[in-house]
RNA sequence: GCCCGAGUAGCUCAGUCGGCAGAGCGAUUCAUUCGUAAUGAAUAGGUCCGGGGUUCGAUUCCCCGCUCGGGCUCCA
């Protein structure tokens, strides 16, 4: 007899040798049918695992994140099984579940690649495997045997050697990962046992690894757990092939990655595919063209946009709103040039740690002038232009500063990742004591502005002191980190902590917004900086007459004006709220006789500062109405004979029913109310 | 930067097994004067991404380049 505990606190007795599947069956038929894996004292195990006495069990179904994760992971195995079956000589690397689905990395003999037709074949084969309802069978073997089982699969062998400690794990690949990283933080060898050791421990000590086999001829190295059999899978679709470096390292081989999506039910799969289609419909590059906002002439080069009148108008409104808020928020506006000599970037450290993302210098008069990738050093120059007293602090400088960054050509993506963009960049110089309250009011300010643009759903991340090397005294880090945490809490913001995720020069908060279709966009950043004040030897005079070092806070709110515009465009699917719409109303005279009245209506609205156009009657009314709708104009106003007589308009708003005979004054009031930022 | 895919009219795309380049939408003009998401007709519009090669002949085949798209963070 074994006694197990259930999540509701009850206990249940089962015969010796009973499995998690038996437990599920003893609880209910439906649970037995839906069960995928179990969690034993929180550790995920196969349903076929024997129950342990005194252990608490939770049965996991596809209704939970963990269950879905398993489902996707198992589907990835079936993908590998199909590929290895269909492509003799193919080898496979890793195939984890990811957000919404899974992938698996392969290498085909002779560097061959998958085509779209291959994907169809593979998917068909996967469906056969699923139809055969093959059980997933776990086996634990020692690493020597595993190396034999995977003799033809070098990537698997590498993993076995790494996790079992059998081979000579190569030097820590993490050390060179972060381009922002610390000047002095060279890897100290052996100091980061981190992830690898955890894996090895999980895989079982003593060089034992686990494998999962299904069907006659397929076995994969895997921690598990897996669904009981392939028949539990099926609501999936293969999506695309992409190149991916082995272990994400551009010095290692490029593998062929197949991405798929997988869900618990056909309905969920369909909903996901619909979300993808919706995202494509909202693609800002497409909307930018359709609404005549922005374009990317090839002649300019990758990642460089030109703003057409309507796009420029919306941008102008965004910038004006931002300026207005900053003006009343205690900021002082500055301008700085687009170039600076190399010595500035040497002092700031950018040339040491950021050079590959900078445009190359222009050489003249014996100096090297670099286009700026950041505004910070210029603002530091302004701070340093005179003596500062504690009475001057906090000093909040603000600039819409155009910066240029040499993004990888493959990374450039419309307005969301461009090579020239404008940061709404603020640098706040404060005393250490001011930091907590300054952070709190900063965060409130940021959220308030984001809300004005229609975002209400935020998720924040607090990144704390990195373990390896950090500048600044620990007590300063604590003060700043606790200040950030207090700011998050007083703002009532949901946040996660990324321990050790901060830059070497200070902790930070990143704020993500969730858009209308549930996608998260990282926009705002509050970054505390102990480094630049040091590098540029900044100081202020304290009340006691001694010189002290200020703390710098970098703050981007939109992040980049261009990117924020792109996110807004996708969030609203092009239908900007009235206050941002480039054209707020289109007046449609029913016939030529009403043209004069239409012009009069337009003029009256324009006199109130509203943006109004008139569509003359040389095309049918329906067509003109459609044209305005396609351009997502908030108000379509139709005026005919009865309106001329009564001083009214027919109001066809973007998102409501048409109303006839609305007095012009009423319309005006309604539009003016909407035309102000909230 | 690297892997895969794609570049044909302003846009979306068809097409040419190597032989005068096509549609729909949009634009322009004319007619139509209409009560709420596509009136009719006509016209204009092309270095078929660029450069080289093969060929009697290349938008089409080959090579090089440019640009765009997907991916290169998710760790058995």
């Amino acid at each position: 007899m074994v006694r197990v505990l259930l999540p509701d606190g009850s206990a249940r007795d089962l015969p010796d040798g009973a499995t998690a599947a038996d437990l599920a069956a003893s609880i209910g038929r439906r649970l037995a049918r839906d069960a995928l894996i179990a969690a034993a004292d929180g550790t995920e195990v196969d349903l076929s695992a024997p129950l342990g006495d005194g252990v608490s069990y939770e049965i996991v179904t596809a209704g939970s994140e963990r269950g879905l994760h398993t489902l996707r992971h198992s589907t990835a195995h079936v993908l590998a099984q199909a590929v290895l079956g269909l492509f003799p000589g193919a080898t496979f690397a890793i195939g984890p579940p990811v957000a919404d689905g899974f992938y698996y990395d392969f290498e085909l003999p002779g560097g061959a690649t998958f085509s779209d037709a291959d994907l169809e074949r593979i998917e068909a084969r996967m469906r056969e495997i699923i139809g055969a309802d093959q059980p997933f069978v776990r086996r634990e073997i020692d690493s020597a045997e595993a190396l034999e089982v995977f003799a033809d699969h070098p990537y698997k062998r590498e993993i076995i050697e790494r996790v079992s400690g059998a081979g000579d794990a190569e030097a820590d690949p993490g050390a060179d990962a972060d381009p922002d990283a610390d000047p002095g933080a060279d890897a100290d060898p052996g100091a980061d046992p981190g992830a690898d050791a955890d894996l090895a421990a999980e895989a079982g000590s003593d060089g034992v690894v686990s494998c999962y086999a299904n069907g006659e001829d397929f076995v994969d190295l895997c921690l598990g757990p897996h669904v009981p059999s392939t028949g539990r899978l099926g609501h999936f679709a293969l999506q695309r092939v992409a190149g991916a470096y082995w272990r994400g390292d551009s010095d290692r081989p490029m593998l062929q990655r197949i991405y798929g999506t997988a869900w618990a039910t056909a309905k969920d799969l369909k909903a996901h595919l619909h979300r993808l289609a919706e995202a494509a419909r909202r693609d800002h590059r497409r909307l930018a063209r359709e609404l005549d906002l922005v374009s990317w002439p090839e002649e300019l080069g990758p990642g460089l946009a030109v703003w057409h009148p309507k796009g420029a108008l919306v941008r102008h409104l965004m910038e004006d709103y931002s300026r207005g808020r900053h003006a009343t928020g205690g900021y002082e506006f500055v301008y700085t040039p687009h170039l600076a000599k190399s010595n500035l970037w040497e002092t700031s450290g950018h040339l040491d740690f950021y050079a590959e993302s900078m445009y190359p210098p222009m050489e003249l008069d014996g100096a090297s002038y670099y286009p700026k990738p950041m505004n910070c050093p210029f603002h530091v120059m302004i701070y340093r232009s005179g003596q500062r007293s504690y009475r001057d602090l906090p000093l909040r400088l603000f600039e819409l500063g155009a910066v240029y960054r040499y993004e990888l050509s493959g990374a450039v993506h419309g307005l969301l990742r461009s090579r020239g963009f404008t940061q709404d960049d603020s640098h706040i110089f404060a005393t250490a004591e001011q930091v907590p309250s300054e952070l709190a009011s900063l965060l409130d300010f940021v959220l308030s502005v984001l809300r004005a643009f229609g975002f209400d759903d935020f998720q924040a991340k607090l990144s704390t002191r990195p373990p390896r090397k950090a500048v600044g005294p620990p007590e300063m880090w604590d003060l700043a980190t606790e200040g950030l945490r207090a700011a998050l809490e007083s703002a009532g913001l949901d946040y996660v902590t990324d321990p050790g995720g901060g830059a070497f020069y200070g902790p930070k908060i990143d704020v993500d917004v969730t858009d209308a279709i549930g996608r998260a966009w990282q926009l705002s950043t509050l970054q505390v900086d102990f480094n630049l004040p040091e590098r540029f030897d900044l100081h202020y005079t304290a009340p006691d007459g001694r010189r002290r070092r200020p703390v710098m806070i970098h703050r981007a709110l939109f992040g980049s004006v261009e990117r924020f515009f792109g996110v807004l465009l996708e969030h609203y699917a092009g239908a900007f709220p009235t206050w941002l719409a480039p054209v707020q109303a289109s007046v449609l005279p029913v016939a030529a006789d009403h043209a004069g009245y239409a012009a009069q209506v337009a003029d009256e609205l324009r006199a109130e500062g509203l943006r109004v156009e008139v569509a003359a009657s040389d095309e049918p009314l329906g067509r003109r109405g459609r044209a305005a709708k396609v351009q997502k104009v908030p108000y379509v106003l139709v005026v005919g004979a009865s309106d001329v007589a009564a001083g009214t308009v027919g109001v066809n708003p973007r998102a409501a029913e048409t109303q006839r005979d609305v007095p012009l004054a009423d319309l005006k009031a309604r539009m003016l109310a909407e035309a102000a930022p909230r």
Side-chain angles (χ1 to χ4, degrees):
Chain A
M1 213 53 125
V2 287
R3 165 158 296 194
V4 298
L5 304 167
L6 297 177
D8 65 3
S10 67
R12 193 168 278 258
D13 295 323
L14 285 103
D16 281 330
T19 63
D22 297 330
L23 172 63
S26 81
I27 296 170
R29 242 186 18 216
R30 185 171 171 161
L31 189 63
R33 196 191 63 201
D34 292 345
L36 294 182
I37 55 169
D41 283 341
T43 303
E44 294 176 3
V45 298
D46 292 314
L47 285 181
S48 58
L51 298 173
D53 194 36
V55 174
S56 73
Y57 279 89
E58 183 185 345
I59 302 298
V60 177
T61 69
S64 71
E65 263 314 302
R66 282 206 283 198
L68 254 185
H69 211 251
T70 304
L71 192 96
R72 289 167 178 158
H73 186 188
S74 297
T75 308
H77 270 233
V78 173
L79 167 60
Q81 186 180 357
V83 168
L84 263 53
L86 289 171
F87 296 84
T91 189
F92 56 156
I94 58 170
V98 294
D100 301 332
F102 59 90
Y103 67 77
Y104 218 115
D105 286 345
F106 300 98
E107 189 172 63
L108 295 178
T113 57
F114 295 111
S115 66
D116 287 351
D118 291 335
L119 281 194
E120 284 174 32
R121 276 169 64 209
I122 294 164
E123 189 166 324
R125 178 77 192 113
M126 288 173 71
R127 298 207 185 277
E128 286 170 26
I129 293 166
I130 288 166
D133 197 20
Q134 299 168 353
F136 280 93
V137 180
R138 180 188 176 92
R139 208 155 68 91
E140 289 177 13
I141 56 181
D142 67 40
S143 55
E145 187 183 347
L147 287 171
E148 234 167 89
V149 170
F150 294 101
D152 296 334
H153 298 292
Y155 299 106
K156 295 294 180 191
R157 291 172 58 97
E158 184 177 325
I159 293 162
I160 294 163
E161 285 170 356
R162 192 169 54 98
V163 301
S164 66
D168 189 17
E170 92 270 22
D172 174 16
D176 54 30
D178 185 359
D180 283 342
D182 176 350
D186 328 5
D188 44 337
D192 185 16
D196 291 0
D198 291 348
L199 259 181
E202 231 182 307
S205 43
D206 312 331
V208 171
V209 299
S210 55
C211 294
Y212 280 78
N214 54 294
E216 301 285 293
D217 50 4
F218 180 74
V219 58
D220 196 356
L221 181 71
C222 186
L223 278 172
H226 279 284
V227 301
S229 66
T230 59
R232 299 303 191 90
L233 311 172
H235 306 297
F236 77 98
L238 296 186
Q239 295 174 294
R240 66 182 82 88
V241 186
Y245 297 109
W246 171 231
R247 300 218 166 279
D249 180 346
S250 58
D251 292 333
R252 311 204 62 184
M254 175 69 73
L255 306 176
Q256 294 283 305
R257 175 171 297 178
I258 297 179
Y259 279 94
T261 184
W263 297 85
T265 64
K267 194 175 153 202
D268 290 349
L269 173 62
K270 195 176 160 197
H272 178 66
L273 295 176
H274 182 264
R275 271 198 301 281
L276 292 179
E278 179 61 21
R281 193 179 71 78
R282 289 169 178 257
D283 188 305
H284 75 282
R285 294 162 298 182
R286 171 200 178 120
L287 290 169
R289 185 175 52 241
E290 289 173 357
L291 303 177
D292 195 18
L293 304 172
V294 174
S295 65
W296 292 267
E298 253 189 47
E299 288 79 352
L300 305 199
L304 300 171
V306 292
W307 292 69
H308 301 202
K310 284 180 181 167
L313 176 53
V314 176
R315 174 173 175 169
H316 201 94
L317 292 161
M318 291 165 54
E319 292 180 351
D320 276 356
Y321 179 76
S322 169
R323 284 200 189 88
R325 293 294 306 267
H326 282 87
T328 55
Y331 291 80
E332 299 181 77
F333 294 6
V334 298
Y335 289 103
T336 66
H338 291 202
L339 306 172
K341 287 193 294 187
S342 53
N343 57 349
L344 182 75
W345 308 112
E346 279 157 17
T347 307
S348 70
H350 287 102
L351 272 181
D352 282 341
F353 314 114
Y354 201 74
E356 82 245 28
S357 296
M358 291 171 70
Y359 269 85
M362 289 163 261
E363 309 286 349
L364 76 169
D365 296 340
S368 300
Y369 289 82
Y370 284 86
K372 64 174 169 181
M374 296 185 185
N375 302 299
C376 342
F378 297 85
H379 293 188
V380 166
M381 291 296 111
I382 293 168
Y383 179 90
R384 221 171 59 166
S385 65
Q387 295 200 335
R388 303 289 176 183
S389 148
Y390 72 96
R391 295 174 195 278
D392 300 325
L393 305 184
L395 177 69
R396 307 186 187 94
L397 302 182
F398 174 73
E399 177 177 16
L400 291 171
V403 297
Y404 293 87
R405 296 183 184 175
Y406 192 75
E407 298 289 350
L408 291 181
S409 61
V412 167
H413 181 85
L415 293 173
L416 299 181
R417 179 79 67 98
S418 50
R419 284 184 171 173
F421 58 97
T422 310
Q423 291 183 304
D424 60 334
D425 210 359
S426 181
H427 293 98
I428 293 127
F429 300 87
T431 69
E433 298 71 37
Q434 288 168 337
V435 165
S437 68
E438 195 60 24
L439 290 171
S441 69
L442 256 178
L443 185 61
D444 283 345
F445 181 79
V446 165
L447 296 179
S448 162
V449 173
L450 291 176
R451 286 194 177 100
F453 282 93
F455 295 112
D456 288 308
D457 190 355
F458 305 111
Q459 172 71 48
K461 183 171 77 177
L462 172 63
S463 300
T464 64
R465 192 171 193 271
R468 245 197 208 137
K469 182 155 185 188
V471 300
E475 58 273 18
M476 286 288 282
W477 276 84
D478 292 344
L479 180 77
T481 306
E482 285 323 303
L484 289 169
R485 195 184 297 280
L488 286 165
E489 273 160 18
S490 80
L493 213 53
D494 277 344
Y495 72 98
V496 295
T497 305
D498 179 8
F504 71 91
Y505 50 81
K508 67 169 173 175
I509 294 174
D510 293 309
V511 179
D512 287 4
V513 303
T514 305
D515 75 7
I517 58 171
R519 295 172 299 178
W521 302 93
Q522 202 230 297
L523 296 177
S524 313
T525 303
L526 305 188
Q527 168 80 60
V528 180
D529 186 349
F530 307 125
N531 182 47
L532 281 186
E534 197 73 34
R535 282 178 167 267
F536 284 97
D537 191 26
L538 304 185
H539 38 76
Y540 66 91
T541 307
D544 61 8
R546 295 173 56 188
R547 296 166 104 203
R548 292 179 62 191
R549 189 76 79 203
V551 174
M552 208 173 151
I553 304 169
H554 305 253
R555 189 241 57 190
L557 199 166
F558 293 157
S560 134
V561 177
E562 289 83 350
R563 179 175 143 87
F564 192 79
F565 178 93
V567 170
L568 272 186
L569 196 50
E570 301 211 357
H571 176 60
Y572 288 116
F576 287 111
T578 304
W579 75 277
L580 284 171
V583 175
Q584 295 171 313
S586 188
V587 185
L588 279 43
V590 170
D593 287 351
H594 318 120
Y597 180 67
Q600 186 190 325
V601 167
D603 285 344
E604 272 196 51
L605 295 173
R606 284 182 191 132
E608 302 288 347
L610 295 167
R611 298 181 290 277
V612 182
E613 63 176 23
V614 176
S617 66
D618 33 327
E619 283 187 327
L621 183 64
R623 185 179 190 79
R624 287 176 282 146
R626 177 173 193 275
K629 293 291 184 187
V630 166
Q631 288 294 307
K632 303 179 194 288
V633 174
Y635 285 92
V636 175
L637 307 176
V638 174
V639 295
S642 64
D643 297 302
V644 174
T648 57
V649 292
V651 180
N652 183 349
R654 194 165 54 196
E657 292 299 302
T658 298
Q659 282 176 278
R660 289 286 299 272
D661 307 319
V662 176
L664 185 53
D666 292 3
L667 169 73
K668 206 186 285 179
R670 178 172 167 185
M671 286 191 64
L672 283 173
E674 282 181 26
R678 62 169 169 159

